[in-house]
């Protein structure tokens, strides 16, 4: 179950890295401009990420309880909410894009490009939100292969259209950074269509034809269950994104060169996150199912097994990053000073990855069991407080610059790992009813 989810998450992260590589052909200013949009984009998606966590946990539990009608009522309720909310929020974020990007620390060299990229992405966020919702429900019932197929196809389309639209090939116009944004949107449109098709089979546990034939309607109870699980995750995501954004603003203030290297470093760190995210997806489905079947010991075994695999992967990635740091950065930048900055960031990522994958898995196990209030508190303390304070202390007070800002990332990952590991081993999460 974990392998398709890992492949899916890895390919998503890899496509992000390829995005940066293709945009780097426009210069380091373009890489920095795209980097400026990352955190406000995810802040805009915070509510939908929370919804995804909730629907995945709820469908996994209902799958274990064999409550098919209830699971489909949750799906139909969630989809209606996601469509309405993404249309309204996407329009607002696109409208206020200049102010948002300016607040994120843009410079005259990066502002207009970042605004253009952000406007295109957020005005079309409905496609991304729908596919994330459906894929999360599919993950909850253990159908990780469907989400792998949709995301791999989506990101393949993204990469191909990047090639055609950024610099213009085979008769397509050279649209620059706008081409990169349009390519991303086209990829999400394809994945959205594929995700919808994946729930059109009547025999699936979650199924549109089943909803129609059995007259399953959206319900207030389903929405209440969604809110009960999702509200704490929403505040967790929102506060986390504030912490991430503050770090990104500090990085932007270090100059365009540092911001460009920072963006590539974040994409590379996303590759290691993908392994934890894939194992987390499997853990959520298997733990939710086991708790639904009243088998808490099996749920603990699944969590521990995912941790063992994650530990092996993290050590392997640390070795790859150690030996390949300069080669990786040289692929993106020709300027020696930017490569040197990137290498120093890579050396810190070696430490980060040892804790990152394992904390992601632990946090996923707790969220899958419904222990979302604890994970929200732990993430808020780690990201919003520890990460921000440590980044400022090392980056500004000690004068370490961008390297010091990344020390805040280390503090964040280590503290999240400690919080999550202690809670998981205590075992109280197995008693939560959702």
């Amino acid at each position: 179950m974990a392998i398709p989810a890992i492949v899916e998450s890895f390919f998503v992260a890899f496509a992000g890295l390829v995005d940066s590589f293709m945009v780097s052909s426009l210069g380091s200013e373009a890489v920095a401009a795209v980097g400026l949009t990352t955190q406000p984009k995810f802040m805009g998606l915070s509510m939908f990420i929370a919804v995804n966590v909730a629907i995945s946990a709820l469908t996994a539990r209902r799958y274990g309880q064999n409550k098919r009608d209830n699971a489909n009522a949750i799906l139909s309720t969630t989809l209606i909410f996601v469509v309405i909310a993404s249309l309204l929020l996407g329009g607002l974020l696109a409208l206020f894009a200049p102010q948002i990007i300016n607040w994120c620390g843009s410079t005259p060299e990066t502002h207009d490009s970042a605004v253009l990229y952000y406007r295109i992405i957020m005005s079309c966020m409905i496609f991304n939100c729908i596919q994330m919702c459906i894929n999360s429900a599919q993950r909850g019932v253990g159908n990780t292969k469907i989400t792998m197929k949709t995301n791999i196809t989506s990101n393949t389309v993204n990469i191909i259209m990047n090639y055609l639209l950024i610099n213009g090939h085979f008769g397509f116009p050279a649209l620059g950074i706008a081409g990169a944004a349009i390519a991303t949107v086209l990829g999400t449109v394809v994945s959205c269509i594929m995700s919808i098709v994946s729930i059109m089979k009547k025999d699936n546990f979650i199924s549109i034809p089943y909803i129609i034939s059995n007259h399953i309607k959206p319900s207030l109870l389903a929405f209440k269950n969604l809110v009960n699980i999702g509200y704490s995750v929403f505040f967790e995501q929102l506060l986390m994104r504030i912490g991430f954004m503050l770090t990104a603003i500090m990085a932007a203030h270090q100059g365009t060169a540092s911001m460009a290297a920072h963006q590539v470093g974040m994409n590379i760190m996303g590759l290691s996150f993908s392994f934890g995210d894939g194992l987390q997806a499997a853990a959520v489905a298997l733990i939710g199912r086991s708790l639904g079947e009243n088998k808490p010991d099996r749920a603990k075994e699944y969590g521990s097994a995912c941790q063992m695999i994650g530990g092996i992967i993290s050590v392997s990635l640390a070795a790859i990053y150690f030996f390949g740091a300069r080669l990786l950065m040289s692929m993106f930048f020709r300027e020696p000073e930017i490569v040197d900055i990137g290498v120093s960031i890579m050396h810190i990522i070696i430490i980060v990855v040892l804790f990152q994958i394992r904390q992601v898995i632990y946090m996923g196990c707790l969220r899958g069991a419904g222990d979302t209030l604890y994970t929200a508190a732990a993430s808020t303390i780690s990201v919003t407080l520890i990460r921000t304070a440590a980044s400022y202390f090392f980056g500004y007070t000690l004068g370490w610059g961008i390297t010091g800002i990344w020390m805040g990332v280390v503090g964040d990952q280590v503290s999240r790992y400690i919080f999550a590991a202690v809670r998981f081993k205590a075992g109280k999460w197995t008693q939560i009813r959702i």
Side-chain angles (χ1 to χ4, degrees):
M1 190 177 291
I3 289 174
I6 291 173
V7 172
E8 170 206 343
S9 296
F10 178 83
F11 203 84
V12 170
F14 181 72
L17 195 63
V18 172
D19 251 2
S20 291
F21 176 74
M22 290 181 161
V23 169
S24 69
S25 65
L26 301 173
S28 58
E29 292 85 2
V31 177
V34 172
L36 284 169
T37 69
T38 301
Q39 294 312 322
K41 178 182 74 174
F42 279 108
M43 183 171 284
L45 291 172
S46 293
M47 178 168 58
F48 304 100
I49 293 172
V51 167
N52 296 339
V53 171
I55 193 172
S56 190
L58 287 166
T59 52
R61 189 67 66 95
R62 299 300 176 262
Y63 187 66
Q65 295 167 339
N66 198 29
K67 294 182 178 179
R68 190 179 181 190
D69 284 7
N70 196 297
N72 281 279
I74 291 168
L75 174 65
S76 61
T77 303
T78 307
L79 278 173
I80 290 174
F81 171 76
V82 164
V83 169
I84 296 171
S86 61
L87 284 172
L88 293 174
L89 187 59
L92 284 172
L93 292 173
L95 179 64
F96 292 102
Q99 293 86 344
I100 294 169
I101 296 301
N102 184 59
W103 185 69
C104 291
S106 62
T107 63
E109 295 81 17
T110 60
H111 182 78
D112 290 342
S113 295
V115 169
L116 177 61
Y117 186 89
Y118 187 72
R119 266 200 171 131
I120 294 171
I121 294 292
M122 301 316 290
S123 62
C124 300
M125 68 186 290
I126 182 173
F127 302 107
N128 191 23
C129 293
I130 291 173
Q131 69 91 10
M132 286 195 306
C133 172
I134 295 173
N135 285 357
S136 296
Q138 292 275 40
R139 279 181 164 193
V141 298
N143 200 354
T144 53
K145 289 183 179 179
I146 292 295
T147 59
M148 178 188 71
K149 292 175 183 177
T150 59
N151 278 293
I152 287 179
T153 304
S154 166
N155 286 289
T156 301
V157 171
N158 184 10
I159 291 170
I160 293 171
M161 296 310 297
N162 269 340
Y163 177 75
L164 297 176
L165 295 176
I166 291 177
N167 292 306
H169 292 94
F170 297 106
F172 284 83
L175 300 177
I177 206 162
I182 293 169
T184 300
V185 170
L186 291 174
T188 61
V189 171
V190 171
S191 65
C192 179
I193 293 170
M194 291 181 67
S195 296
I196 293 170
V197 170
S198 76
I199 55 173
M200 294 304 293
K201 295 180 181 179
K202 191 172 183 179
D203 294 337
N204 287 354
F205 188 78
I206 51 172
S207 162
I208 296 294
Y210 182 85
I211 291 172
I212 295 171
S213 62
N214 289 274
H215 307 290
I216 296 173
K217 298 178 180 179
S219 69
L220 188 60
L221 177 61
F223 185 73
K224 183 179 178 182
N225 288 333
L226 201 69
V227 172
N228 286 340
I229 299 296
Y231 83 93
S232 54
V233 182
F234 169 66
F235 286 110
E236 171 191 355
Q237 286 292 321
L238 196 61
L239 292 169
M240 280 175 60
R241 291 302 159 188
I242 290 173
F244 290 146
M245 190 174 292
L246 290 172
T247 303
I249 291 170
M250 285 187 252
H253 287 163
Q254 302 302 312
T256 301
S258 292
M259 183 59 191
H262 172 79
Q263 171 63 12
V264 173
M266 291 298 290
N267 282 334
I268 290 172
M269 196 171 78
L271 290 178
S272 56
F273 169 82
S274 67
F275 290 97
D277 188 48
L279 287 163
Q280 170 188 239
V284 168
L286 294 168
I287 284 173
R289 184 188 305 177
S290 299
L291 294 177
E293 295 171 346
N294 292 317
K295 296 177 180 177
D297 290 338
R298 179 177 292 180
K300 292 179 182 178
E301 289 174 5
Y302 280 131
S304 298
C306 288
Q307 275 299 323
M308 180 184 67
I309 299 168
I312 295 170
I313 292 173
S314 64
V315 172
S316 302
L317 285 174
I320 293 170
Y321 293 162
F322 178 79
F323 291 106
R326 186 163 294 277
L327 176 63
L328 281 168
M329 285 295 165
S330 298
M331 292 171 62
F332 290 86
F333 306 109
R334 296 178 181 178
E335 301 90 337
E337 66 275 14
I338 302 181
V339 173
D340 289 340
I341 295 170
V343 170
S344 67
I345 290 173
M346 288 297 299
H347 289 161
I348 298 173
I349 292 176
I350 292 168
I351 302 171
V352 169
V353 73
L354 296 175
F355 295 93
Q356 179 193 33
I357 292 176
R358 301 192 69 186
Q359 70 85 2
V360 169
I361 296 168
Y362 273 139
M363 287 290 195
C365 293
L366 297 175
R367 292 190 190 101
D371 197 6
T372 52
L373 190 58
Y374 179 85
T375 60
S379 295
T380 299
I381 293 170
S382 299
V383 181
T384 313
L385 301 179
I386 294 176
R387 180 182 180 131
T388 304
S391 291
Y392 186 86
F393 176 75
F394 287 103
Y396 289 87
T397 306
L398 296 185
W400 291 8
I402 192 68
T403 305
I405 289 169
W406 271 81
M407 291 302 295
V409 179
V410 174
D412 161 31
Q413 297 295 334
V414 172
S415 59
R416 269 196 276 178
Y417 169 77
I418 293 171
F419 281 130
V422 169
R423 185 70 165 187
F424 179 86
K425 291 175 181 177
K428 292 182 179 179
W429 51 274
T430 60
Q431 303 168 15
I432 296 174
R433 298 282 178 252
I434 62 174

